């Protein structure tokens, strides 16, 4: 999407189209000739996996929507109808429900990849912020999707989460009434959530296009965090190198997905959601889906209602300003001995918060939640701003090529093969 | 614009005028349209109509127990309080409450044995247990919310836990000794 194009249409029709709508040129430059750093590891395959998960959610979702009835008295039965009466309906629903979980597994790996290798730093701030927006939209989509089957967890999850907004002074109650379209979570809530659940994935699709656009302007980061210096030496063309690597990782990921789908399709769900919604009885133990647990733990760590809500939103907002909180010029944690330890402590913190979010909010769990919430914020607000000033980073390799090939100045065969097609591009 | 710059006095041109007028008109139009779009999300006429007052017969409720019913889609608890429960609610030191309110302000005079309150936890809206005999009633003998551990007393006031406020009292009136109208 940037730099001079190396696309040369051969067929007459290709030339004709190129002069009118150069879509094949865009595709060629973005996914064939596009130069990628030669040292990318498998953590860089999750972007492609995420794209396919989005496509999978949209495909299964459109099919589900054909058989689903968005009405408080019919929704639960219609989902059971999908499971029992629609041919392969069970497969569509399990793909969609487990697909949401897989989507989040992939996005969390993708985000932690960015945190470890410093992909949020200049010049990739906009790329990073677009990613945070996608993450927010995904959370909104998944939350509203989970309400649609209208089981007990759907209903009470919706009640608890929409009530979060009542914490805001003065306008809170009005916001909640407008979210519900009534005086409690009820049919009007279900129908508007269905409409939005249908819409949001297409908005995600739009932001993904911007995300990829921004990526192709700055080029990809890489495990050393050193920018591409000489395209010919430091990069290889997307096709075939990245294409096959992405495809291989994708197949492994889908095998993992298939294991959940065919052997433990309800493992990540809650049994209570197979009980139809009952506004008079709250299940004894309400827990959100696993991917919301760390944020849920932060919410409950604060004894004050408004404080808890604000802190939970702050946990995501802090990601937006992260590019300006980290003061170090060195991107990759591989070259930052202290920051790297903090990173792993942060990763453990997130897992602990996730676990605590699934425990009842009492006794030692509350204290622990408070401790780990403090650690979560300390990583962004104390560790990263200060470490950049005090830490002595390890020596960085002179270039990507040097880090891969040693100091041989690119004498290996791979370079020859890579250099030619990537030649015309000046910048990744 | 280029013309405007080249003219020495740089007087506003007709295009500037059109730009301002069109902009103002467009902005007003967007604001005017935003209102109906947002208003569609409000409770509709049917939902509001479903909030008409309802009458409740109190005779079937045994002392010490309560019932649950829905009004405007919201759950309401009606509890027949025992003597001990009423005393417990009355003798509390108000200054010690998170949301201070006297028991007398939460019941009708002469009808202290009837407590009528909304049944959604003021924290995040779960339904506290304790209406029927045998359910966990919490540390203060009233209601206990299982979601995040809020304890309410025999007057439905918050005593312990994350909920910020007492369970509110809906508008209601006694029609006779054994009948109330909610709404
Ligand atoms: C970002 C992509 C998406 C995510 C993360 C997502 C997530 C979810 C989740 C978590 C559920 C609840 C599954 C369950 O427990 O049964 C659900 C249900 C549903 N979704 Fe989606 N969804 C996405 C895209 C879509 C799209 C594009 C459509 C329609 C075009 C759609 C239509 C539905 C329908 C009809 C249901 C209710 C049926 C059911 O519960 O299985 N979804 N979604
Ligand atoms: S909803 Fe009752 S304690 Fe949170």
């Amino acid at each position: 999407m940037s730099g001079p194009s190396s696309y040369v249409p051969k067929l007459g029709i290709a030339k004709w189209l190129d002069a009118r709508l150069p879509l094949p040129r865009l595709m060629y430059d973005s996914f064939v000739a596009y130069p990628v750093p030669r040292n990318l590891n498998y953590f860089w395959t999750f972007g492609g996996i995420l794209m396919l998960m989005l496509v999978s959610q949209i495909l299964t979702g459109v099919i589900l929507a054909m058989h689903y009835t968005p009405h408080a008295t019919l929704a639960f039965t219609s989902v059971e109808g999908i499971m029992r009466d629609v041919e392969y309906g069970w497969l569509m629903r399990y793909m969609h429900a487990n697909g949401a979980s897989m989507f989040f597994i992939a996005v969390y790996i993708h985000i932690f990849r960015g945190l470890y290798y410093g992909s949020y730093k200049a010049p990739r701030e906009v790329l990073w912020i677009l990613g945070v927006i996608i993450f927010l939209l995904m959370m909104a989509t998944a939350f509203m999707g989970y309400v649609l089957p209208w089981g007990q967890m759907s209903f009470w999850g919706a009640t608890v989460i929409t009530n979060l907004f009542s914490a805001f002074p003065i306008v809170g109650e009005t916001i909640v009434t407008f979210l519900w379209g009534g005086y409690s979570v009820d049919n009007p809530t279900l129908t508007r959530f269905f409409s939005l659940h249908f819409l949001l994935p297409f908005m995600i699709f739009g932001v993904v296009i911007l995300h990829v656009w921004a990526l192709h302007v700055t080029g990809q980061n890489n495990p050393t965090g050193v920018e591409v210096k000489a395209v010919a030496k430091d990069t290889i063309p997307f096709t075939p190198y990245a294409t096959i690597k992405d495809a291989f990782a994708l197949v492994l990921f889908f095998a993992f997905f298939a294991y959940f789908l065919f052997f433990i399709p309800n493992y990540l769900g809650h049994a209570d959601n197979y009980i139809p919604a009952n506004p008079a009885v709250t299940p004894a133990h309400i827990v959100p889906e696993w991917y919301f647990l760390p944020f849920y733990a932060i919410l409950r760590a604060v004894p004050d209602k408004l404080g808890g809500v604000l802190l939970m939103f702050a946990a995501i907002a802090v990601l937006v300003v992260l590019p300006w909180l980290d003061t170090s010029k060195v991107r990759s944690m591989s070259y930052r001995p202290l920051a790297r330890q903090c990173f792993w402590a942060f990763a453990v913190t997130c897992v602990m918060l996730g676990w605590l979010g699934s425990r009842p909010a009492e006794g030692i769990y509350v204290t622990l939640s408070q401790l780990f919430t403090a650690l979560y914020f300390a990583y962004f607000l104390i560790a990263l701003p200060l470490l950049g000033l005090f830490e002595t980073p390890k020596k960085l390799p002179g270039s990507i090529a040097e880090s891969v090939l040693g100091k041989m100045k690119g004498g290996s065969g791979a370079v020859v093969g890579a250099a030619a097609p990537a030649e015309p591009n000046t910048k990744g | 614009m280029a013309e405007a710059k080249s003219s020495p006095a740089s007087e506003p041109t007709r295009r500037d005028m059109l730009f301002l007028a069109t902009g103002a008109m467009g902005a007003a139009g967007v604001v005017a349209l935003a209102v109906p779009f947002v208003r569609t999300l409000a409770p509709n006429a049917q939902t509001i109509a479903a909030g008409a007052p309802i009458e409740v017969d109190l005779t079937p409720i045994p002392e010490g127990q309560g019932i649950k019913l829905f009004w405007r889609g919201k759950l309401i608890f009606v509890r027949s309080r025992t003597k001990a429960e009423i005393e417990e609610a009355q003798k509390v030191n108000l200054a010690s409450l998170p949301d201070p309110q006297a028991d007398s302000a939460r019941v009708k005079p002469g009808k202290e044995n009837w407590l009528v309150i909304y049944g959604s936890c003021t924290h995040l809206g779960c339904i506290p247990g304790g209406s029927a005999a045998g359910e966990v009633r919490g540390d203060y003998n009233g209601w206990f919310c299982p979601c995040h551990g809020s304890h309410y007393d025999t007057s439905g006031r918050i005593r312990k836990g994350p909920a910020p406020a007492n369970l509110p009292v809906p508008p209601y009136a006694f029609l006779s000794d054994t009948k109330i109208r909610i709404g």
Side-chain angles (χ1 to χ4, degrees):
Chain A
M1 289 189 186
S2 70
S5 172
S6 61
Y7 176 65
V8 186
K10 289 193 195 85
L11 292 176
I13 180 150
K15 283 185 192 138
W16 183 86
L17 187 60
D18 193 50
R20 287 158 179 82
L21 178 74
L23 190 61
R25 175 181 296 275
L26 180 70
M27 289 298 144
Y28 181 87
D29 292 342
S30 309
F31 302 108
V32 180
Y34 182 71
V36 298
R38 64 187 311 151
N39 59 342
L40 296 188
N41 60 32
Y42 274 101
F43 287 109
W44 264 264
T45 59
F46 282 87
I49 290 172
L50 281 163
M51 281 230 231
L52 235 84
M53 284 316 302
L54 180 59
V55 171
S56 161
Q57 288 304 94
I58 290 180
L59 285 181
T60 50
V62 167
I63 301 286
L64 288 173
M66 294 175 189
H67 303 279
Y68 170 80
T69 316
H71 191 281
T73 54
L74 301 169
F76 187 87
T77 341
S78 77
V79 172
E80 284 310 303
I82 292 173
M83 295 297 287
R84 291 150 203 262
D85 302 340
V86 176
E87 280 204 52
Y88 289 106
W90 60 270
L91 182 62
M92 294 299 137
R93 173 158 185 256
Y94 279 156
M95 270 176 84
H96 198 74
N98 286 281
S101 281
M102 296 301 135
F103 206 163
F104 276 94
I105 290 177
V107 88
Y108 281 129
I109 295 177
H110 193 67
I111 292 174
F112 275 86
R113 186 280 315 262
L115 289 173
Y116 186 86
Y117 294 111
S119 302
Y120 48 84
K121 293 187 193 183
R124 298 185 181 81
E125 304 95 321
V126 172
L127 174 60
W128 172 259
I129 292 171
L130 287 168
V132 178
I133 294 173
I134 294 172
F135 180 47
L136 274 174
L137 288 172
M138 273 176 68
M139 294 205 285
T141 308
F143 160 64
M144 289 194 262
Y146 194 59
V147 175
L148 302 184
W150 212 240
Q152 273 290 67
M153 279 295 171
S154 301
F155 184 89
W156 291 103
T159 300
V160 168
I161 300 300
T162 49
N163 261 307
L164 290 179
F165 292 90
S166 72
F168 294 108
I170 307 164
V171 288
E173 290 298 328
T174 317
I175 295 181
V176 175
T177 309
F178 273 68
L179 282 176
W180 289 340
Y183 307 105
S184 60
V185 172
D186 207 337
N187 192 51
T189 326
L190 175 60
T191 49
R192 65 190 55 187
F193 278 16
F194 177 56
S195 173
L196 292 175
H197 183 71
F198 208 124
L199 168 72
L200 285 187
F202 296 91
M203 292 183 61
I204 295 179
F205 201 85
V207 185
V208 167
I209 290 177
L210 296 182
H211 190 70
V212 174
W213 185 7
L215 172 74
H216 285 204
V217 171
T218 60
Q220 279 158 297
N221 185 25
N222 66 83
T224 63
V226 174
E227 286 291 318
V228 170
K229 287 180 182 143
V231 171
K233 284 193 189 135
D234 291 344
T235 69
I236 43 179
F238 194 93
T239 301
Y241 301 100
T243 330
I244 185 63
K245 192 161 180 164
D246 280 358
F248 180 60
L250 196 83
V251 166
L252 289 186
F253 188 81
F254 271 73
F256 174 73
F257 182 5
Y259 175 72
F260 276 84
L261 190 55
F262 295 116
F263 293 95
I264 43 172
N266 287 306
Y267 180 74
L268 295 167
H270 300 290
D272 275 309
N273 222 25
Y274 283 105
I275 303 170
N278 179 355
V281 180
T282 309
H285 195 51
I286 299 197
V287 247
E289 292 284 88
W290 70 266
Y291 35 82
F292 293 133
L293 288 175
F295 299 104
Y296 195 56
I298 293 178
L299 167 78
R300 299 189 308 177
V302 190
D304 178 68
K305 181 168 158 185
L306 180 59
V309 173
L310 290 180
L311 209 64
M312 184 180 75
F313 287 124
I316 298 165
V318 74
L319 291 173
V320 175
V321 288
L322 172 61
W324 295 276
L325 289 175
D326 188 343
T327 49
S328 171
K329 290 267 179 295
V330 178
R331 291 199 186 86
S332 173
M333 292 287 180
S334 305
Y335 301 94
R336 301 184 61 191
L338 293 176
R340 182 180 174 170
Q341 287 175 18
C342 292
F343 170 86
W344 287 114
F346 173 74
V348 172
T349 298
C350 292
V351 173
M352 285 304 289
L353 280 173
W355 175 68
L356 287 164
S358 73
R359 303 286 97 199
E362 53 198 34
I364 181 74
Y365 298 129
V366 178
T367 323
L368 284 176
S369 299
Q370 289 166 346
L371 173 73
F372 283 104
T373 300
L375 287 177
Y376 178 95
F377 284 100
Y379 178 70
F380 295 110
L381 301 177
I382 301 175
L384 290 182
L386 290 186
L387 279 174
L389 307 176
F390 297 120
E391 184 184 43
T392 320
K394 288 200 230 162
K395 191 176 171 305
L396 291 170
S399 69
I400 294 173
E402 190 187 303
S403 80
V404 179
L405 309 167
K407 306 257 180 215
M408 288 150 52
K409 291 276 174 207
S412 94
V415 177
V416 180
E423 197 69 63
N425 286 284
T426 50
K427 187 168 179 290
Chain B
M1 285 297 145
E3 284 166 47
K5 260 181 211 144
S6 62
S7 78
S10 136
E11 271 183 35
T13 61
R14 270 201 306 183
R15 198 182 290 112
D16 289 339
M17 178 59 206
L18 269 178
F19 176 77
L20 279 179
T22 315
M25 194 67 185
V30 168
V31 171
L33 262 181
V35 174
F37 268 90
V38 174
R39 291 296 306 180
T40 61
L41 298 176
N44 66 18
Q46 209 181 9
T47 310
I48 294 169
I54 51 166
E55 290 182 6
V56 185
D57 181 13
L58 302 177
T59 35
I61 310 174
E63 192 179 277
Q65 294 199 36
I67 58 162
K68 300 182 197 175
L69 52 101
F70 283 97
W71 177 63
R72 283 180 141 195
K74 273 196 186 301
L75 194 64
I76 289 184
F77 294 152
V78 181
R79 179 137 146 192
S80 165
R81 301 193 295 180
T82 62
K83 267 228 161 50
E85 286 173 345
I86 299 171
E87 267 167 34
E88 213 179 316
Q90 285 171 342
K91 68 168 196 266
V92 175
N93 172 14
L94 290 191
S96 70
L97 297 178
D99 181 11
Q101 198 181 19
D103 186 57
S104 56
R106 299 175 54 80
V107 292
K108 303 286 176 202
K111 303 268 195 284
E112 282 83 2
N113 57 327
W114 292 109
L115 181 69
V116 183
I117 49 175
Y118 280 115
S120 309
C121 182
T122 59
H123 182 225
L124 295 174
C126 293
I127 306 296
S131 290
E135 290 178 7
V136 179
R137 289 186 163 178
D139 293 358
Y140 298 88
N141 222 359
W143 286 267
F144 173 70
C145 182
C147 286
H148 317 98
S150 289
H151 299 253
Y152 295 91
D153 67 11
T154 55
S155 188
R157 289 171 299 199
I158 180 67
R159 298 297 286 273
K160 197 170 119 187
N166 303 334
L167 294 173
V169 178
Y172 74 98
F174 276 88
L175 301 177
S176 71
D177 274 353
T178 57
K179 195 171 236 175
I180 57 170
R181 189 182 57 214
I182 300 179

